[in-house]
Amino acid sequence: MAMNESQAPSLAEKLQSLPKQVIYGILLVTCTVPLFFSVKLPNKPIDASIDFYGQTMKLPDNGRVIICSDWTNSTRGESKGEMEVLLKLLMRKHIKFVLMSIGDVQAPQVAKDTIREVNALEKLTGGTPYKEFEDYVNLGYFAAGEGTILAVNNKILSIAQGKKDFPEGAGPKDALQSPVFQGVKSVEDFNMFYLVTASSTNRTVLERITKCPLMFMVSGVMVPENNSYYAAKQLKGLCGGVKGVYDLETLMENGINNGSDSVESDLYRGEKIPGWPGKGNTGKGTAYYLALHFALALLIIAVIVGNVGMLLSKKGSK
Amino acid sequence: MNYDLLKQLVAVTATLGLYSVLYKENKFYRFWEHVFLGLASGWALVALWTEVLKSGWWDKMLGASASDGNTASMGYWMYVVLLPIGLMGYLVFSKKHNWISKIPIGMILGFYSGQQFGAWMTYYGPLFTASMKPILPNQSGFFKPADAAAGSVYGSEALTNIISLITVLTVLTYFLFSFDVKGKLLKASSTTGRWLLMIGFGAIFGSTVMMRFTLLIDRMYFIWIEFIKQGLFHMK
């Protein structure tokens, strides 16, 4: 009996050897349960997100932009929320856009699916759905990213030449015939170049686009790197990960320097930038933010438990 | 069951299949892994033709007649020259003729190198400029007031800039590999640089973990909210 007791694992050993299946199980529950509760956490948007919103809102209504969509379903958790919020902003300001991709062959289809979903959401809140070819034109995927982006900067019409758009219910159409390209001579005729990415295409774009202002929407892991570009004013604004999406959703609801509930910012001192209160602004950012906090809390607890176990075992061995 | 729900059901099964490896390696996981790989390869093959070769080469070479609102375009037969140049690349597999493959590879390297001159400056130029920050305050207060004039540097900003400068210099000294670091000052600087790099990597690791959690949360949202709650039970 005494021998059995001496062989039983100590508390320190137990704390350091939790079965991984148990940890995964706890993580799954932690990430799932908060999704059923609609809790809006308090939020103070960061400068990069405020600039992203402010600069987009300052674009002329009925303007024209380029969206380089380089994400696929592998980063849907972050990139889809970013794409949704960008599309909502552009649609509400009636800004036409060229859609292209240099990151992945699946990216154009994933972007088109998202546009279809956002169209349906905007229709529910009284917005006007975007029509392919009329309001946006899809140039599809380009294999040589570096050369393509250089061509976008120097001779944008050359990359659209020969490209067909495939609007629903119609045959293939020459992309250059789209109203989006009417009057376009160079990339300077576009008000902004947006990049939604979860890969290294951020650098390809940053190195080559010099004639059009840039704004990036990147995954959480890319935020530290891209913050440098934002700080060096290479980017007009930056949206990073779920925090960036939640920031933009908050800004869309409340606006900037726009009254008691709005986000106050020195970046736009003396300016009032409106939002669209109550117009279906909540999306993936709001839905995921609470669950993310619970997951991060679990991580911190796990680190503490592991370290306490290690300290106890060290103490026991002395 | 409608088509959208059926699509979702397949996606949910695939998600569960891929996550089942967390419990242990199994055939259900392997099956979905192979389905995923097959789909990705098939999609890439079709896209290679439709998105790259057809629109970027074939159609431009042959041209097109006017139809269905599309204008006619001239064919440029010179595009045919690209075919043998491209095929030369495959001679890398031939022991006798693999030198020929160096011609297209050389072309690609040449194009890329030419681009990089401009790209390098566009990328690093603003970063260099942004690193040059004032480290001496020109205003008496410590915290920057909301109505501060442009160009004014307050104590808090100067302190931030000093930290930034120290970080840049110490991290640079850590990467001095070309000679033996012996001096006390240089050694201390190098060690500080290493510590600051570790803190930076820690922040990046934190962002990585946050991203991975979000991907899991998204999958759970898809299964529980989009499929079960909204799809099966039609709840908002």
Side-chain angles (χ1 to χ4, degrees), chain A residues 116-137:
Chain A
R116 199 179 302 127
E117 286 173 31
V118 175
N119 261 341
L121 286 171
E122 285 298 284
K123 212 174 168 182
L124 282 176
T125 53
T128 316
Y130 262 35
K131 283 183 190 160
E132 186 166 357
F133 195 72
E134 299 296 325
D135 301 306
Y136 75 96
V137 62

Side-chain angles (χ1 to χ4, degrees), chain B residues 183-236:
Chain B
K184 259 188 180 175
L185 184 71
L186 216 52
K187 263 189 177 173
S189 173
S190 175
T191 311
T192 312
R194 196 175 69 207
W195 273 92
L196 290 168
L197 275 172
M198 292 302 152
I199 293 168
F201 293 149
I204 293 170
F205 181 71
S207 309
T208 310
V209 170
M210 207 154 73
M211 183 200 172
R212 305 296 169 205
F213 277 154
T214 309
L215 301 185
L216 175 66
I217 291 166
D218 176 69
R219 285 290 87 193
M220 292 301 107
Y221 186 83
F222 175 69
I223 292 171
W224 291 99
I225 308 296
E226 290 180 8
F227 177 64
I228 296 177
K229 193 180 167 189
Q230 294 169 353
L232 288 180
F233 294 106
H234 303 288
M235 291 163 73
K236 277 195 175 180

Side-chain angles (χ1 to χ4, degrees), chain B residues 157-190:
Chain B
E157 199 180 350
L159 184 66
T160 310
N161 293 348
I162 289 169
I163 295 170
S164 173
L165 180 72
I166 291 170
T167 308
V168 170
L169 294 177
T170 54
V171 168
L172 281 175
T173 52
Y174 174 71
F175 287 102
L176 289 174
F177 298 132
S178 50
F179 61 90
D180 197 13
V181 178
K182 281 179 178 166
K184 259 188 180 175
L185 184 71
L186 216 52
K187 263 189 177 173
S189 173
S190 175

Side-chain angles (χ1 to χ4, degrees), chain A:
Chain A
M1 186 71 186
M3 199 175 162
N4 281 344
E5 273 175 12
S6 67
Q7 281 177 344
S10 65
L11 178 65
E13 285 169 334
K14 277 182 188 170
L15 288 177
Q16 289 186 93
S17 57
L18 285 171
K20 69 174 184 182
Q21 286 87 350
V22 173
I23 297 172
Y24 289 146
I26 296 169
L27 181 62
L28 285 177
V29 173
T30 310
C31 290
T32 305
V33 173
L35 295 173
F36 288 93
F37 299 95
S38 184
V39 179
K40 214 164 186 295
L41 294 176
N43 187 30
K44 189 179 186 310
I46 57 171
D47 283 354
S49 308
I50 292 173
D51 258 338
F52 191 98
Y53 183 76
Q55 294 296 324
T56 303
M57 290 299 286
K58 280 183 169 186
L59 295 179
D61 285 354
N62 302 307
R64 185 165 34 204
V65 298
I66 298 169
I67 301 179
C68 189
S69 178
D70 290 340
W71 62 281
T72 64
N73 280 329
S74 61
T75 56
R76 194 187 100 129
E78 293 190 320
S79 305
K80 189 176 181 183
E82 292 172 342
M83 189 77 178
E84 282 178 356
V85 82
L86 173 62
L87 290 170
K88 281 180 188 175
L89 279 169
L90 297 179
M91 285 179 181
R92 290 173 190 183
K93 284 186 67 67
H94 308 290
I95 292 170
K96 293 181 191 296
F97 62 88
V98 171
L99 182 70
M100 61 178 292
S101 175
I102 57 165
D104 195 292
V105 285
Q106 295 170 33
Q109 185 57 47
V110 175
K112 274 183 82 167
D113 289 345
T114 311
I115 294 170
R116 199 179 302 127
E117 286 173 31
V118 175
N119 261 341
L121 286 171
E122 285 298 284
K123 212 174 168 182
L124 282 176
T125 53
T128 316
Y130 262 35
K131 283 183 190 160
E132 186 166 357
F133 195 72
E134 299 296 325
D135 301 306
Y136 75 96
V137 62
N138 181 15
L139 297 184
Y141 171 70
F142 294 87
E146 286 90 355
T148 302
I149 293 298
L150 196 66
V152 168
N153 192 56
N154 296 333
K155 204 177 175 187
I156 189 165
L157 296 180
S158 69
I159 68 148
Q161 214 158 28
K163 280 281 183 180
K164 303 278 186 211
D165 193 9
F166 296 84
E168 274 182 25
K173 292 186 172 184
D174 284 339
L176 281 175
Q177 301 291 320
S178 163
V180 184
F181 273 110
Q182 293 311 302
V184 170
K185 287 190 176 76
S186 78
V187 74
E188 287 158 325
D189 293 319
F190 289 87
N191 304 107
M192 192 68 73
F193 187 112
Y194 290 97
L195 173 70
V196 189
T197 187
S199 65
S200 61
T201 56
N202 64 329
R203 197 161 163 171
T204 306
V205 171
L206 197 72
E207 286 175 341
R208 288 163 179 81
I209 299 291
T210 56
K211 298 175 184 169
C212 185
L214 295 171
M215 290 219 266
F216 287 177
M217 302 184 106
V218 298
S219 55
V221 66
M222 297 169 73
V223 171
E225 176 199 351
N226 286 275
N227 255 336
S228 311
Y229 311 144
Y230 170 70
K233 297 188 172 31
Q234 288 166 293
L235 303 177
K236 291 276 180 193
L238 174 68
C239 169
V242 169
K243 164 68 178 158
V245 178
Y246 191 50
D247 280 354
L248 289 177
E249 287 172 5
T250 306
L251 290 159
M252 281 170 78
E253 187 68 26
N254 302 324
I256 303 171
N257 300 335
N258 202 34
S260 58
D261 287 339
S262 97
V263 175
E264 297 300 314
S265 170
D266 289 342
L267 294 172
Y268 294 88
R269 201 189 308 148
E271 292 179 70
K272 282 184 178 180
I273 297 176
W276 290 277
K279 204 191 165 192
N281 299 314
T282 53
K284 296 264 186 288
T286 312
Y288 297 173
Y289 212 46
L290 180 67
L292 182 62
H293 279 73
F294 273 89
L296 291 174
L298 176 69
L299 177 73
I300 293 165
I301 291 167
V303 169
I304 293 170
V305 167
N307 277 282
V308 167
M310 190 184 70
L311 283 172
L312 286 176
S313 65
K314 272 186 178 175
K315 214 175 172 183
S317 66
K318 275 181 184 173

